[in-house]
């Protein structure tokens, strides 16, 4: 049994949906669970609709545009489908915001993207003679009620997947939604942006799949984003360890939560190109194996540097570090890198004024003798398996705010 994940770019138009069917045909007589993301940029559009609807503003233009995009694909695929059900559903969700906190409201609307894409794909495959059953991820993936970032309830989820999917797989493919599941109170929930990779990994884990395949518009995992680093090369093989490091430091090719459930069961992850489906791509499997990696570059923009300097006390240790960590975590800010010196501590986080401003206010209140400086709009570059040549090339002419080096990894924060 294999789990395939197709992202939004792979089904962005009718040609894309046809191409997915062609890829599935390359695996005849296989048991396949197909996890699909929302079409193209649908999730962004639904996010915007959710924001407008919550503020009781007019969102009809955005909703109509989304409807036309989906109807166009259905027409181009020559399906006799009517999408009224889905758009009525979005309207119903959008009109009922009575006192719901925004994140919960958001999830009720945004879930529609994957409901639409999976239904269209399932209908098209049927019309093309590929047997399949549409399975509802809201009956498979159980979470708590952390809206927009549901934490998986593994026991319930594993039981649901194991009791439903194997029998469906006996009569053809299973098509289901990435990114969505069901919260403790029975409402729909999302797993965090770009979470479909993770959905596929949850299913692969529960079913002890022989592998998970992620079909992308790039040839596999590259040593850097080719749009920013034209010398980037394909990495044919990665350990789970290396893949986790890369996603942690900002490689966006795979959702960071994806590797853990696969690693636990030693399930390999294959990252392949949907444009060139027989090319070998990247295989992520095993740990502890020696692989000679080229320098691997991860880049994050929109970084803030918070410098905290106590003016009276001499040593930073006197400003309780554990309090500072707790404060960042309380405000939902992940520390991307931290440097502690004798008389100052520098912390790098993603720029997010909604979380940062209250945090800084709280710091000032708790430590009246503390000076706080904030620099925003910085870039954080992380290089694994670096050498002098690549460091020279990457830092030349840049104003460096902070540098940190271990044997395998170096980070630069610059303007
Ligand atoms: N459609 C969702 C998003 O755009 C999930 C995904 O693409 O994986 O974030
Ligand atoms: Mg996506």
């Amino acid at each position: 049994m294999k789990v395939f994940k197709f992202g939004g770019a792979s089904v962005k138009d009718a040609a894309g949906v046809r191409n997915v069917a062609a890829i599935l045909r390359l695996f005849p007589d296989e048991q396949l669970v197909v996890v699909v993301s929302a079409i193209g940029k649908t999730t962004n559009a639904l996010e915007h609709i959710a924001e407008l609807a919550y503020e009781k503003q007019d969102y009809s233009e955005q909703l109509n545009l989304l409807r036309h995009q989906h109807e166009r694909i259905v027409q181009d695929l020559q399906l006799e489908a009517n999408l009224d059900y889905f758009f009525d559903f979005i309207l119903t969700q959008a009109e009922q915001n009575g006192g719901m906190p925004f994140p919960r409201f958001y999830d009720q609307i945004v879930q529609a993207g994957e409901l639409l894409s999976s239904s269209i794909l399932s209908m098209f495959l049927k019309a093309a003679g590929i047997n399949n059953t549409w399975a509802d991820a809201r009956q498979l993936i159980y979470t708590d009620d952390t809206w927009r970032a549901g934490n998986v309830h593994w026991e319930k989820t594993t039981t649901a997947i194991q009791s439903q999917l194997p029998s469906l797989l006996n009569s053809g493919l299973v098509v289901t939604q990435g990114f969505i599941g069901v919260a403790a109170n029975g409402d729909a929930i999302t797993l965090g942006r770009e979470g479909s990779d993770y959905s596929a990994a949850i299913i692969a884990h529960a079913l002890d799949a022989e592998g998970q395949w992620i079909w992308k518009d790039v040839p596999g995992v590259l040593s850097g984003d080719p749009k920013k680093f034209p010398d980037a090369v394909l990495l044919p093989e990665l350990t789970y360890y290396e893949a986790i490091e890369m996603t942690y430091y900002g490689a966006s090719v795979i959702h960071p939560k994806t590797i853990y459930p696969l690693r636990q069961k030693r399930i390999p992850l294959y990252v392949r190109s949907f444009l060139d489906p027989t090319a070998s791509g990247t295989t992520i499997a095993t740990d502890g194996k020696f692989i000679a990696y080229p320098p691997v570059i991860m880049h994050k923009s929109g970084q803030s540097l918070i410098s905290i300097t106590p003016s009276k006390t001499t040593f930073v240790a006197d400003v309780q570090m554990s309090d500072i960590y707790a404060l960042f975590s309380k405000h939902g800010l992940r520390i991307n890198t931290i440097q502690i010196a004798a008389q100052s501590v520098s912390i790098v986080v993603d720029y997010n004024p909604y979380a940062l401003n209250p945090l800084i206010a709280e710091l000032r209140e708790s430590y009246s003798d503390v000076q706080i400086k904030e620099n925003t709009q910085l870039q954080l570059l992380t290089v694994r398996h670096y050498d002098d040549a690549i460091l020279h090339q990457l830092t030349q002419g840049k104003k460096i705010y902070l540098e940190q080096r271990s044997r395998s990894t170096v980070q630069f924060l610059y303007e």
Side-chain angles (χ1 to χ4, degrees):
M1 204 277 308
K2 299 176 163 70
V3 179
F4 282 7
K5 180 262 175 172
F6 289 96
S10 69
V11 289
K12 72 176 196 304
D13 53 20
V17 177
R18 288 204 173 88
N19 183 52
V20 168
I23 292 175
L24 297 176
R25 284 209 175 86
L26 298 174
F27 298 83
D29 313 318
E30 297 257 17
Q31 292 203 317
L32 300 179
V33 178
V34 178
V35 175
V36 67
S37 305
I39 285 171
K41 301 277 177 238
T42 299
T43 306
N44 293 354
L46 287 169
E47 266 186 357
H48 191 201
I49 289 170
E51 282 159 12
L52 291 171
Y54 197 72
E55 300 295 331
K56 303 232 183 291
Q57 291 175 28
D58 183 21
Y59 52 85
S60 51
E61 198 182 307
Q62 285 79 3
L63 192 60
N64 284 336
L65 187 65
L66 204 58
R67 180 192 272 265
H68 288 137
Q69 286 164 349
H70 282 82
E71 282 176 350
R72 174 77 199 271
I73 295 176
V74 165
Q75 259 170 30
D76 290 350
L77 291 170
Q78 294 171 330
L79 292 173
E80 290 293 323
N82 182 329
L83 301 181
D84 286 350
Y85 165 82
F86 297 97
F87 288 91
D88 289 347
F89 174 82
I90 298 173
L91 268 180
T92 314
Q93 301 301 322
E95 294 307 316
Q96 55 144 32
N97 74 358
M100 217 186 257
F102 177 71
R104 177 173 161 203
F105 177 72
Y106 167 106
D107 281 346
Q108 306 323 303
I109 292 181
V110 165
Q111 61 163 320
E114 271 70 12
L115 296 177
L116 272 160
S117 62
S118 60
S119 302
I120 293 172
L121 177 63
S122 170
M123 285 187 287
F124 177 71
L125 294 177
K126 266 186 199 143
I130 302 178
N131 274 339
N132 74 91
T133 314
W134 183 89
D136 192 335
R138 297 165 302 177
Q139 291 171 20
L140 298 172
I141 295 186
Y142 287 82
T143 73
D144 63 3
D145 58 4
T146 309
W147 308 107
R148 298 183 69 167
N151 295 300
V152 173
H153 189 307
W154 282 95
E155 222 177 88
K156 267 179 151 173
T157 299
T158 308
T159 310
I161 292 172
Q162 288 177 351
S163 65
Q164 293 172 57
L165 296 193
S167 61
L168 299 180
L169 283 165
N170 286 333
S171 50
L173 312 185
V174 167
V175 176
T176 192
Q177 308 80 50
F179 183 49
I180 68 173
V182 60
N185 76 345
D187 276 359
I189 195 162
T190 63
L191 305 179
R193 288 302 308 266
E194 306 303 328
S196 299
D197 294 346
Y198 182 43
S199 300
I202 295 165
I203 295 172
H205 175 100
L207 292 178
D208 285 301
E210 80 188 66
Q212 172 175 336
W213 277 252
I214 296 182
W215 297 93
K216 295 197 66 93
D217 56 0
V218 288
V221 179
L222 303 179
S223 62
D225 178 347
K227 286 184 216 112
K228 296 173 198 153
F229 308 102
D231 297 340
V233 293
L234 176 71
L235 303 168
E237 208 183 358
L238 293 172
T239 57
Y240 294 119
Y241 180 91
E242 191 64 30
I244 289 170
E245 292 288 307
M246 287 179 68
T247 56
Y248 175 83
Y249 288 118
S252 59
V253 58
I254 308 162
H255 189 276
K257 283 183 169 174
T258 310
I259 309 292
Y260 296 96
L262 300 176
R263 184 196 219 177
Q264 268 178 9
K265 296 266 183 105
R266 308 268 127 201
I267 299 169
L269 174 62
Y270 304 99
V271 182
R272 297 274 173 93
S273 163
F274 61 73
L275 302 168
D276 187 6
T278 56
S280 54
T282 299
T283 300
I284 301 167
T286 70
D287 266 328
K289 176 176 178 183
F290 176 78
I291 299 171
Y293 297 108
V296 177
I297 309 167
M298 280 76 63
H299 174 257
K300 277 188 179 201
S301 55
Q303 301 294 294
S304 288
L305 171 65
I306 317 296
S307 314
I308 305 170
T309 314
S311 52
K312 292 192 204 115
T313 42
T314 321
F315 292 101
V316 167
D318 296 344
V319 176
Q320 264 109 15
M321 279 312 299
S322 62
D323 288 355
I324 292 187
Y325 275 112
L327 202 60
F328 275 81
S329 134
K330 178 180 135 193
H331 288 271
L333 283 164
R334 192 189 87 164
I335 295 177
N336 292 335
T337 191
I338 182 165
Q339 205 162 57
I340 302 169
Q343 299 183 65
S344 73
V345 50
S346 308
I347 297 176
V348 181
V349 292
D350 290 350
Y351 176 65
N352 174 358
Y354 301 105
L356 264 176
N357 294 342
L359 178 143
I360 291 176
E362 210 175 318
L363 256 179
R364 290 215 161 98
E365 210 166 286
S366 320
Y367 303 99
S368 51
D369 67 331
V370 144
Q371 279 179 22
I372 299 163
K373 234 172 62 194
E374 188 188 352
N375 285 289
T376 54
Q377 297 308 326
L378 302 176
Q379 328 258 338
L380 181 64
L381 204 61
T382 305
V383 188
R384 288 189 47 79
H385 317 292
Y386 60 87
D387 56 33
D388 290 344
I390 190 87
L391 296 190
H392 179 75
Q393 184 193 327
L394 291 172
T395 57
Q396 215 178 11
K398 290 194 173 108
K399 182 177 173 197
I400 309 280
Y401 282 70
L402 182 150
E403 179 182 335
Q404 207 160 62
R405 229 182 248 233
S406 72
R407 265 177 301 170
S408 58
T409 309
V410 58
Q411 290 192 298
F412 296 104
L413 186 72
Y414 61 94
E415 214 163 39

